[in-house]
Amino acid sequence: MRYLIFLFVLSPLFARNVSVATWNMQTFFDARTQGAEYSDFKGERWSEDAYKARVLKAAAALKKIGSDVIVLEEVENEGVLFDLYNELCTGFSWKKPYKYACFEKEEGASIGVALLSRYEILSVRCHSVDVRPFGSRRSTRPILESRVKIKNDCVTVFSNHWKSRLGGGNVVRAVQERALALSLGRCIREGERVIACGDFNSDISEFSSLENAVCLRSYGEKATKMHSVWLSFPEVESGSYCFRGKWERIDHIFFSPDIESLSFCVFDSSPFVNDKGEIDRYSVFSGKGLSDHLPLCALFKI
């Protein structure tokens, strides 16, 4: 008599594919003037109708991205996030709504970072760094840490929007890099899987790298090693931002070595680019366009 022997490998049975995206939405302000808005979004040219039209277009674009977890930068407040969520509920099947979200910005700041998730957000922490000793006039943009439950597992997502190159931004970004590296290192030592997304305002070539991974520096302490979608998928040649006619890869998705990356793409087609293949940035004056950044999306096995 012959016997069939079945070998069960439990971990793949419980693994789940999760898509994660990041998108800088380019100064997404609502129609209410509260004082911290950029000058283009004050006065008669910016109205409730213009804002609602932008929400409709942005929600349609987010539906096209369609990732399970989406990190958003340059969102003014929670109200904008609610308006986007309400519009996202239109036209999606009951299996796909973004039931969970979080948002954070510094007091008095114009814009902040947000996260939309189809999976439950178990906890949220905000990491603020005071960079005034380094020449900045105010505390820098916070790093939002969100612990997301995915079936029987969890992943911690860090949402980032680092300082631009203007006004001593290099020094400030170094401080932000240290803050992120320390937080990521803490999570990894505690056995957590981590992903860091956002607009880092630094090209992938500007980060220290070793063995096809990025080493986030923490000044005198051991660097935190993270994988990068740009390095893991070098066949993706397009950048996420264009400055003076040159494509740059300043938006990033980093992930810890214990996460398996399956695919990566840049949304470099309509409606994110125009007929000339250029990023279709938003214009307050015409109401056309979406953003001056392209979204990134990666698929992981968690």
Side-chain angles (χ1 to χ4, degrees), residues 10-271:
L10 294 180
S11 56
L13 294 178
F14 294 99
R16 174 171 288 268
N17 293 348
V18 177
S19 54
V20 178
T22 180
W23 188 24
N24 182 320
M25 303 190 75
Q26 188 195 334
T27 57
F28 210 111
F29 291 100
D30 63 19
R32 293 172 296 172
T33 300
Q34 296 175 313
E37 295 84 1
Y38 295 171
S39 58
D40 287 348
F41 294 87
K42 296 178 181 179
E44 296 180 358
R45 73 169 64 96
W46 187 239
S47 64
E48 184 71 26
D49 289 341
Y51 169 64
K52 289 181 178 178
R54 191 178 186 190
V55 168
L56 289 174
K57 289 199 303 180
L62 288 169
K63 289 178 183 180
K64 184 164 186 177
I65 296 171
S67 297
D68 298 314
V69 177
I70 304 180
V71 172
L72 302 173
E73 302 88 55
E74 298 202 11
V75 175
E76 183 184 12
N77 52 44
E78 292 179 347
V80 173
L81 202 57
F82 274 113
D83 291 339
L84 288 169
Y85 166 77
N86 288 333
E87 188 58 36
L88 283 171
C89 290
T90 304
F92 262 18
S93 72
W94 65 272
K95 295 181 179 180
K96 292 186 176 182
Y98 293 97
K99 297 181 179 179
Y100 307 94
C102 54
F103 171 85
E104 188 59 61
K105 73 174 181 180
E106 289 288 345
E107 183 178 356
S110 301
I111 48 179
V113 292
L115 181 141
L116 288 169
S117 176
R118 292 192 175 113
Y119 296 102
E120 182 180 0
I121 299 174
L122 297 177
S123 63
V124 177
R125 298 175 68 177
C126 180
H127 304 275
S128 296
V129 181
D130 190 348
V131 293
R132 284 172 291 186
F134 298 92
S136 180
R137 295 181 180 179
R138 63 172 63 182
S139 297
T140 191
R141 296 159 181 162
I143 299 172
L144 185 62
E145 176 184 340
S146 311
R147 194 160 182 261
V148 181
K149 181 180 180 182
I150 301 173
K151 290 299 182 180
N152 297 320
D153 208 339
C154 291
V155 61
T156 301
V157 180
F158 289 83
S159 307
N160 297 262
H161 186 196
W162 289 8
K163 183 77 170 61
S164 70
R165 294 177 174 88
L166 301 176
N170 291 337
V171 175
V172 177
R173 286 201 308 280
V175 178
Q176 292 174 298
E177 181 176 345
R178 179 179 186 271
L180 178 62
L182 292 174
S183 297
L184 290 171
R186 166 183 52 80
C187 290
I188 291 173
R189 287 192 299 273
E190 294 174 357
E192 296 182 31
R193 299 176 182 182
V194 291
I195 296 173
C197 303
D199 175 4
F200 291 76
N201 270 305
S202 297
D203 189 83
I204 185 63
S205 62
E206 298 179 64
F207 288 93
S208 298
S209 60
L210 178 66
E211 297 176 351
N212 206 34
V214 168
C215 298
L216 296 174
R217 298 160 294 187
S218 53
Y219 301 141
E221 301 180 35
K222 186 177 180 181
T224 301
K225 184 178 179 181
M226 296 285 286
H227 289 297
S228 161
V229 290
W230 293 114
L231 299 179
S232 300
F233 298 91
E235 65 275 11
V236 179
E237 297 180 351
S238 58
S240 60
Y241 183 76
C242 192
F243 181 69
R244 295 179 179 175
K246 180 182 177 182
W247 282 98
E248 298 182 343
R249 298 172 294 174
I250 64 174
D251 299 277
H252 299 279
I253 301 177
F254 299 130
F255 54 100
S256 53
D258 55 354
I259 295 179
E260 181 182 355
S261 58
L262 302 177
S263 65
F264 164 59
C265 72
V266 179
F267 284 86
D268 55 1
S269 59
S270 178

